[in-house]
Amino acid sequence: MSAVGAPAGDTADWRPDARAKYLVAILTAIYFLAMVDRGIFAILSQAIRQDLHLNDFQLGLLGGAALAFIYGGFSLPAARLAERFSRVKILSGALIFWSGATALSGAVSNFAQMVVARASVGGGEAACHPCAHSLIADSFPPNRRATAASLYSLAIPIGTLFGLLGGAYLAQQVGWRWAFVAVGAPGILVALIAR
């Protein structure tokens, strides 16, 4: 995956080539994995609460604050890194990091460990948008970026839906711990493909 390079000059008849289409497809797949992770936590939260003996406040922290504060705090530094270094390498590394943290969420044994796991997911996911939007901007002319960005954003509803439905199915079949592993592992493969 690399930036294709938006054409200069008149782009009224410009059509994306195979590389540009592949870029949007792989970026959408990466964002899809991030949204699956968020959706699956919501569906697994009651099983996690019972197994780890959590109260409502702790569950609320895990379901939002643990990921959101770190995500928000790391977004600007991730964007600054994306301006200076290879966005593809940053995004691939971040995907491996957050997917690994998702998979490791299945191995936690207490609240503190789950906070670290969820915060790690947020830290990794913080690199997704800066890198993806920058790659799209470099690969599509201004009058074609809206379509590419919209396709990328389709990962939000599709990934959330898959996280909820897939998470419920996985939890029923293999339990909440293995559900996290099953959702985290594909991200590592996608990161290798993306590089």
Side-chain angles (χ1 to χ4, degrees):
M1 174 179 67
S2 63
V4 177
D10 184 22
T11 59
D13 295 328
W14 183 85
R15 296 285 181 256
D17 61 11
R19 288 183 61 194
K21 290 176 182 177
Y22 174 76
L23 175 77
V24 172
I26 198 77
L27 291 175
T28 303
I30 291 168
Y31 195 24
F32 168 84
L33 293 169
M35 298 313 299
V36 167
D37 174 72
R38 294 182 199 178
I40 198 170
F41 186 85
I43 204 71
L44 300 177
S45 62
Q46 291 308 312
I48 294 167
R49 174 211 294 264
Q50 291 173 351
D51 196 18
L52 300 182
H53 308 290
L54 305 177
N55 61 40
D56 288 341
F57 180 73
Q58 291 172 316
L59 195 62
L61 285 176
L62 292 174
L67 184 134
F69 285 135
I70 301 299
Y71 182 95
F74 278 49
S75 290
L76 186 57
R80 298 295 291 166
L81 285 173
E83 292 171 348
R84 291 179 170 79
F85 302 104
S86 169
R87 295 159 296 176
V88 173
K89 290 179 182 175
I90 292 168
L91 186 54
S92 297
L95 177 56
I96 289 170
F97 184 77
W98 94 62
S99 295
T102 297
L104 287 174
S105 297
V108 303
S109 59
N110 58 49
F111 172 71
Q113 291 173 353
M114 185 61 91
V115 167
V116 171
R118 297 306 295 164
S120 296
V121 170
E125 286 183 5
C128 187
H129 284 312
C131 293
H133 286 287
S134 179
L135 287 165
I136 288 170
D138 281 356
S139 302
F140 290 82
N143 64 329
R144 299 291 186 217
R145 288 181 192 146
T147 299
S150 293
L151 291 169
Y152 169 74
S153 294
L154 279 174
I156 298 170
I158 296 169
T160 302
L161 178 65
F162 189 85
L164 293 170
L165 295 177
Y169 176 78
L170 286 169
Q172 210 170 29
Q173 298 301 313
V174 297
W176 72 268
R177 292 181 180 279
W178 283 105
F180 274 124
V181 173
V183 167
I188 297 168
L189 177 63
V190 172
L192 296 174
I193 293 169
R195 280 193 71 136

